[in-house]
Amino acid sequence: MLEFINLISAWAIPVILAFIPLYAYMKKVPVYESFTEGAKDGFSTAIGIIPSLVGMMVAISVFRASGALDFILSWFAPLFRLWDIPPEVLPLGLLRPLTGSGSLAYTTDLIRTYGPDSMIGRMASTIQGSTDTTLYVIAVYFGAVGIRNGRYALKVGLFSDFVGFAAAIAVCLLVF
């Protein structure tokens, strides 16, 4: 099973990257021109979302610097130990919806400390791939199109992150 998963992982991205331009070419879409036009639009979008990004980064910094993250972790660590889940992965579940770079840095640190083939390294990698940076997505994409009320998207996004976190842990406990 692990060999099959490794095979899919190795070929998924190259197949997708080859398929999309070929499909567009077959549909008579000017691939390069469409790409450059999208890149021009992307630049103006990037300028428009800077205020949303700055606000989100400030909020994340306040959350981490205030000690709120450590306080939340102290409550859940005993429960994780009871279920044979390494409590070291819990901060990743809390950081991932907030910050992609912060969660990636934390994942890198876990892998460096415990090794990529350890249960903690495998769980961290699986969590990193199974969840999304919900607040970043809402700030960037909603800010880009001018949506101001994203409360339902926030609820669904955070619930999806929770399900992804739980599924990643369950799959790692079952497979490894």
Side-chain angles (χ1 to χ4, degrees):
M1 173 124 166
L2 186 59
E3 292 173 15
F4 179 68
I5 292 171
N6 286 336
L7 181 67
I8 290 173
S9 296
W11 283 99
I13 300 293
V15 166
I16 290 171
L17 289 177
F19 175 76
I20 292 172
L22 287 174
Y23 183 77
Y25 179 77
M26 290 186 329
K27 292 290 186 176
K28 307 279 191 240
V29 173
V31 177
Y32 182 74
E33 290 81 5
S34 298
F35 175 78
T36 55
E37 184 179 323
K40 281 191 260 180
D41 291 343
F43 184 74
S44 61
T45 300
I47 298 299
I49 63 173
I50 287 175
S52 300
L53 286 175
V54 170
M56 184 198 60
M57 287 183 205
V58 168
I60 290 168
S61 297
V62 168
F63 178 71
R64 292 175 75 187
S66 69
L69 178 64
D70 295 329
F71 178 74
I72 292 170
L73 294 177
S74 68
W75 282 87
F76 286 104
L79 183 63
F80 269 52
R81 283 191 195 97
L82 181 67
W83 291 336
D84 291 330
I85 301 169
E88 291 84 359
V89 299
L90 181 58
L92 187 57
L94 296 174
L95 282 174
R96 183 71 173 139
L98 299 173
T99 169
S101 58
S103 64
L104 182 60
Y106 187 74
T107 300
T108 303
D109 186 52
L110 287 176
I111 290 172
R112 186 180 308 118
T113 303
Y114 299 100
D117 293 329
S118 67
M119 181 59 84
I120 293 172
R122 289 177 174 170
M123 278 188 182
S125 299
T126 307
I127 292 166
Q128 188 76 10
S130 301
T131 56
D132 202 358
T133 53
T134 300
L135 297 179
Y136 175 81
V137 168
I138 289 173
V140 170
Y141 296 118
F142 283 25
V145 295
I147 296 174
R148 297 287 176 229
N149 187 0
R151 70 174 186 254
Y152 295 116
L154 179 64
K155 291 174 187 175
V156 170
L158 292 176
F159 179 71
S160 299
D161 286 329
F162 174 75
V163 169
F165 181 75
I169 289 173
V171 166
C172 286
L173 289 174
L174 289 172
V175 173
F176 304 113

